[in-house]
Amino acid sequence: MTHELLIDMLESVSLESGGVTLLAQAGTVILHDATKNWVTNRYTGCTARIIGGKGCGQRVRITGNGHDTLTVTPAWLEGLDETSRYIIHQVEVARQVDDILQQVQSV
């Protein structure tokens, strides 16, 4: 399975997906996507996962969101940049995605 096919599959089961539009340093708790216009706190309690680019593999809980930002916990271990692609899942789906990714990695 190619990396792009895997990303397409992950995006197809997500609530939302996109790309980071503003640099986020390691240790910060914000993801910014200027292409969005979300309802405030729509994704609170969901999971965000970086699926491509810088910071790939990180998974965090969303503690709140503005119209084009996510606030997350824990802080980013590796910074994010314009190459970073993300998806947002409900917690239950995020656990299933973890299982799928573990299976793919073991192949």
Side-chain angles (χ1 to χ4, degrees):
M1 178 179 304
T2 68
H3 182 56
E4 283 302 312
L5 179 58
L6 180 58
I7 287 174
D8 289 345
M9 289 174 56
L10 293 173
E11 288 177 340
S12 73
V13 297
S14 68
L15 296 171
E16 184 70 72
S17 63
V20 171
T21 58
L22 188 64
L23 180 71
Q25 298 289 335
T28 61
V29 295
I30 300 293
L31 181 153
H32 186 85
D33 184 346
T35 68
K36 302 301 180 185
N37 190 20
W38 294 316
V39 172
T40 301
N41 292 325
R42 161 77 171 87
Y43 297 113
T44 300
C46 292
T47 298
R49 181 187 308 270
I50 306 302
I51 60 169
K54 187 172 181 187
C56 186
Q58 296 182 87
R59 184 181 75 147
V60 293
R61 185 172 55 86
I62 300 169
T63 59
N65 71 272
H67 73 279
D68 64 356
T69 59
L70 301 175
T71 304
V72 303
T73 189
W76 300 113
L77 295 176
E78 181 181 349
L80 309 177
D81 66 15
E82 292 81 8
T83 67
S84 306
R85 292 171 64 184
Y86 68 88
I87 54 175
I88 298 172
H89 289 294
Q90 294 289 349
V91 172
E92 300 79 20
V93 174
R95 290 184 186 125
Q96 293 170 353
V97 169
D98 284 343
D99 293 341
I100 291 167
L101 290 174
Q102 286 178 347
Q103 291 173 14
V104 169
Q105 289 173 351
S106 67
V107 172

